[in-house]
Amino acid sequence: MQLIMEKIRVRFAPSPTGTLHIGGARTALFNWLFARSQQGTFVLRLEDTDLGRSTSESAQGIVDGLQWLGLDWDEGPDIGGPYGPYRQSERLNIYQEYLQRLLNAGHAYYCFCTADELRRQRESAQDDRDAYRYDGACRHLSADEVANRLAQGQKPTVRFKMPQQGTTVVQDLVRGKVEFQNELFDDFIIAKSDGWPTYNFAVVVDDHSMKISHVIRAEEHLPNTPKQLLIYEALGLTPPQFAHVSMILAPDRSKLSKRHGATSVQEFREQGYLAKALVNYLALLGWSPGDDLSLMDIGEMVRRFDLDHVSKSAAIYDIEKMAWMNGHYLAELSSEEVFSMIESDARTRGWLTNDNHDCFIKIIDLLRSRVRVIQDLLPSAEYFFTAPEHYDEKGVEKYFCKPGCIEKLAAVKSLMDIQPFTAGQIEDVIRSRAEIMKLKAADLIHPTRLALSGRTNTPGLFEIMELLGPEACSARLDQAEAYIKALI
RNA sequence: GGUCCCAUCGUCUAGAGGCCCAGGACGCCGCCCUCUCAAGGCGGAGACAGGGGUUCGACUCCCCUUGGGACUACCA
C-alpha cells in the first residue's frame, strides 16, 4: 500500500525583534535541510504582530543572515508566493476572518478585563500554591452586555474558550507522544485589544493557510502546541506534524544571551567565521548523520538529513569546536579568496598597496594555517610591515641575554648579500654558517627570528626573510643589536 | 509553585536488549615531523547521573530520586 503524501512544506518564522541567533539559525537550517532533502518547499514568514518590538532593520538582518548562510527560501516576504502575504503585519484581514469563525461558533469570546486588572490578579496569585489562570469572568457575558460595551467603545481582547476537561495529545516527531491536561490551561488571549492576533492564534492561521505540512521549531514551543492543536480542532482543521528540536544552551547551561559572547550569526560573520563552518557546526548541534562523519558540505547534509537523528537533549555550544571547524574550512579557501576577505582591512592599515599584491598573497599563505578565524590573520602579520617596537620578554631572556648573541646576529647580518635572496638560498647559507661556527642552526635561527619579528613564534624564518628583503633584515638586526647593547 | 521536556567522556554525539568491559569528533596529554608556533600524522587518558524493577541478558524498556531546561504575557 502506498501512502499518497502531501507535498512537504516547512517554514522558518522568526519574529523580527532582534538578531538572528544561532538557535534560530539552526532551526532555519533544520527546516531548510528537511525541505531540500524531501523535495519540499521552504517558506520564510515574518512574525511581526508585535508592532512595538518589530523593526525592519531586524527583519533585514535576519534575511541577510539566512542568505549569508546559504539558506534560500522558495516563498517569502521578499519574493512572494502563492500563499502570501508572508509578513503577519499584512495578514490582518485573514486573522479577522478566522477569528470571526471562532466567535460565531462559540469557541471564543470577548473579554473586557483590562491589562491592569489582569496584572493585579496575576500578582496576587503569586503566593498561591497553584498557577494563576484567568478566572473566565467574561466567559459568560450576555450578548446584550457585549454589544453594549462594544457600543461604548470598549476595546476587548478575544479569548479562546478552553475545554475544561479532557487531554490533548501532541504527537511529536522527535519527542513522541506528549499529553497535556486541558483543565490546566486557561482561556488564553488570541486577539489583543488592538485587534492583532497573538502568537498562538496567528501561527495556526498562518501554518494552515500556508499549507505547512511540518512545523519544525524550538522546544520552547512544545508547551504551546496543545493550545494550537485545540484551535485547529475548533476551526475544524487538520493540524500539521510537529517536531520540536532541543534548545542550544550556553556553556554554563543557561539560555544563550549576549553575556556569552558571540551568539548571533552577524557577530560570527564579523569575527571572521565562515558560513560553511557555521552551517556545518550548527548542523551537528542536535543532529547527527548517524555514522562517524563530522565534516560535511551542505550537499552531504541534504543527502543525509532526517528527523530520526535529531536529538532530544539540549546542546551546549562549544566555541572551541566551532573555531576548529572554521580553521578547517579556512584551509580549503584559495589564497585569493582569503585575500579578498581581508583586502579592505589591509588597505586601511596601510599594509596593502597597489603593488604588493603578490607579496601579500605569500604572507597569507604563511599565516593562514596558524589562525582559526580570518580576523586574526592581519594582527599576526604586523612585523611584515613594520619593525618590531618591542621584543617578546621571554625571548629576550632566552636569546638576547645569552652570551654570544651579538656575534650570532652579526654573523647572520654579514650574510645579507646572498644572491638570490630566496628562502632556499638563505637557509643553505645560514645552515652552513652555523656549521662553520660549530653551532646548531637553531642557535642562529632563534635570535634572528626574535630580532626580525619581535616574536618567538612565527612561520618559517627563511620565508620571512625572503619577504622582508635584505635591507629590512639588516636594519632590524642592527636595531636588535642596539637594543641588546642597551640592556647591558 | 504548577505543567511539560531532557539525562552516554569536560563538550557535540554513535548506540533503536546481546555486535559495547561503549565508537567518532572538539578539547586535553604524549610522540613523530621540525628553526619556533601552527598545520599534519600517530598514540593515550576520559562517560552509560543514582536506586529499584522487567529480562536468560540492559547504555538501550518501565518506575522513582536527583540534576538540568522550557513554558506559565494583550512577547514570539
Side-chain angles (χ1 to χ4, degrees):
Chain A
M1 189 186 92
Q2 173 113 43
L3 255 165
I4 315 280
M5 292 298 288
E6 286 235 11
K7 192 162 184 335
I8 302 283
R9 290 177 58 83
V10 296
R11 46 50 161 201
F12 176 55
S15 72
T17 53
T19 55
L20 178 60
H21 264 240
I22 58 173
R26 191 197 55 170
T27 300
L29 174 61
F30 281 12
N31 274 283
W32 185 91
L33 286 172
F34 186 65
R36 299 283 102 111
S37 67
Q38 305 281 320
Q39 287 78 45
T41 302
F42 179 53
V43 351
L44 175 64
R45 177 174 81 220
L46 258 21
E47 307 216 328
D48 56 353
T49 53
D50 186 343
L51 275 17
R53 295 198 303 146
S54 299
T55 67
S56 57
E57 296 76 58
S58 169
Q60 191 56 48
I62 289 168
V63 163
D64 289 346
L66 292 172
Q67 278 170 344
W68 179 69
L69 289 172
L71 307 180
D72 56 331
W73 47 97
D74 307 299
E75 298 168 24
D78 53 338
I79 52 175
Y83 305 102
Y86 295 90
R87 211 173 262 123
Q88 291 189 328
S89 57
E90 294 168 6
R91 299 171 62 81
L92 188 55
N93 56 329
I94 302 173
Y95 302 125
Q96 283 172 337
E97 179 195 326
Y98 281 89
L99 192 62
Q100 203 51 241
R101 275 169 64 178
L102 247 23
L103 248 10
N104 293 154
H107 283 121
Y109 61 90
Y110 288 110
C111 172
F112 296 90
C113 300
T114 66
D116 251 18
E117 287 167 4
L118 260 17
R119 185 176 45 75
R120 263 197 303 280
Q121 285 177 27
R122 204 177 310 120
E123 278 165 8
S124 66
Q126 279 299 303
D127 25 59
D128 277 358
R129 302 287 294 292
D130 293 318
Y132 162 78
R133 285 158 60 224
Y134 174 63
D135 61 7
C138 296
R139 191 172 187 158
H140 303 293
L141 255 27
S142 70
D144 284 352
E145 174 88 35
V146 170
N148 204 276
R149 294 204 189 205
L150 251 22
Q152 283 172 33
Q154 288 190 31
K155 296 284 182 222
T157 59
V158 177
R159 286 183 185 270
F160 182 71
K161 200 178 279 181
M162 236 1 217
Q164 294 302 284
Q165 67 279 306
T167 66
T168 299
V169 177
V170 176
Q171 217 26 78
D172 193 276
L173 260 16
V174 345
R175 266 145 235 287
K177 190 168 149 190
V178 185
E179 293 185 45
F180 295 86
Q181 299 295 316
N182 293 159
E183 60 180 336
L184 263 14
F185 295 115
D186 66 356
D187 293 345
F188 59 99
I189 292 172
I190 55 177
K192 311 176 209 172
S193 54
D194 62 7
W196 287 93
T198 57
Y199 169 74
N200 281 125
F201 181 57
V203 254
V204 170
V205 172
D206 289 340
D207 286 336
H208 171 259
S209 59
M210 291 181 182
K211 294 196 159 41
I212 299 303
S213 63
H214 298 255
V215 171
I216 303 170
R217 71 210 331 180
E219 187 189 0
E220 53 186 321
H221 291 293
L222 185 55
N224 283 320
T225 311
K227 296 181 186 175
Q228 293 161 206
L229 246 16
L230 258 5
I231 294 177
Y232 277 103
E233 196 180 310
L235 249 14
L237 307 174
T238 308
Q241 297 216 252
F242 293 97
H244 288 93
V245 304
S246 60
M247 316 268 313
I248 295 179
L249 268 26
D252 63 358
R253 297 202 134 271
S254 70
K255 204 172 175 177
L256 230 37
S257 70
K258 320 100 230 135
R259 75 194 157 84
H260 296 113
T263 54
S264 76
V265 170
Q266 183 64 30
E267 285 172 290
F268 277 105
R269 186 180 178 178
E270 283 163 2
Q271 287 181 18
Y273 284 88
L274 268 19
K276 278 183 178 180
L278 194 50
V279 165
N280 194 159
Y281 180 69
L282 253 22
L284 259 22
L285 223 46
W287 172 72
S288 105
D291 58 22
D292 292 339
L293 196 63
S294 82
L295 292 167
M296 280 172 285
D297 63 32
I298 203 154
E300 186 69 21
M301 291 177 215
V302 168
R303 239 164 287 136
R304 290 163 168 265
F305 189 79
D306 67 301
L307 257 15
D308 293 343
H309 287 86
V310 170
S311 87
K312 291 192 278 244
S313 51
I316 293 170
Y317 114 94
D318 176 21
I319 192 66
E320 281 299 323
K321 189 166 183 175
M322 172 71 226
W324 164 78
M325 233 177 225
N326 200 63
H328 168 80
Y329 283 101
L330 200 53
E332 286 189 342
L333 294 181
S334 71
S335 305
E336 286 293 345
E337 283 173 310
V338 175
F339 174 76
S340 68
M341 295 179 82
I342 59 174
E343 187 174 358
S344 76
D345 189 6
R347 278 192 200 285
T348 307
R349 290 169 184 263
W351 294 351
L352 178 62
T353 61
N354 289 328
D355 48 34
N356 68 347
H357 169 274
D358 292 354
C359 167
F360 220 91
I361 292 290
K362 286 180 184 162
I363 293 173
I364 287 172
D365 286 338
L366 289 182
L367 257 18
R368 53 187 303 171
S369 71
R370 272 157 255 258
V371 340
R372 295 161 107 189
V373 294
I374 285 188
Q375 252 61 353
D376 289 348
L377 197 141
L378 247 17
S380 70
E382 189 166 18
Y383 55 85
F384 283 102
F385 304 97
T386 49
E389 282 173 20
H390 25 243
Y391 301 97
D392 177 87
E393 217 175 291
K394 287 214 174 79
V396 168
E397 210 174 301
K398 198 166 174 187
Y399 306 120
F400 283 2
C401 291
K402 291 288 156 62
C405 182
I406 289 183
E407 289 69 30
K408 289 174 190 165
L409 294 182
V412 173
K413 197 193 162 212
S414 72
L415 267 20
M416 290 302 94
D417 54 356
I418 298 166
Q419 294 289 342
F421 202 73
T422 60
Q425 265 315 308
I426 299 168
E427 175 160 13
D428 287 347
V429 173
I430 288 187
R431 283 189 189 284
S432 46
R433 170 55 62 102
E435 223 169 298
I436 294 168
M437 295 172 77
K438 300 249 182 331
L439 293 171
K440 284 184 291 185
D443 294 329
L444 253 25
I445 288 169
H446 291 304
T448 305
R449 164 179 289 112
L450 184 61
L452 299 184
S453 70
R455 312 176 44 152
T456 55
N457 50 347
T458 69
L461 178 68
F462 311 118
E463 285 75 15
I464 292 178
M465 291 178 79
E466 175 183 329
L467 287 173
L468 247 27
E471 294 80 15
C473 288
S474 292
R476 292 185 189 188
L477 287 166
D478 283 342
Q479 179 190 321
E481 188 188 326
Y483 175 85
I484 295 167
K485 282 181 174 155
L487 277 182
I488 308 166

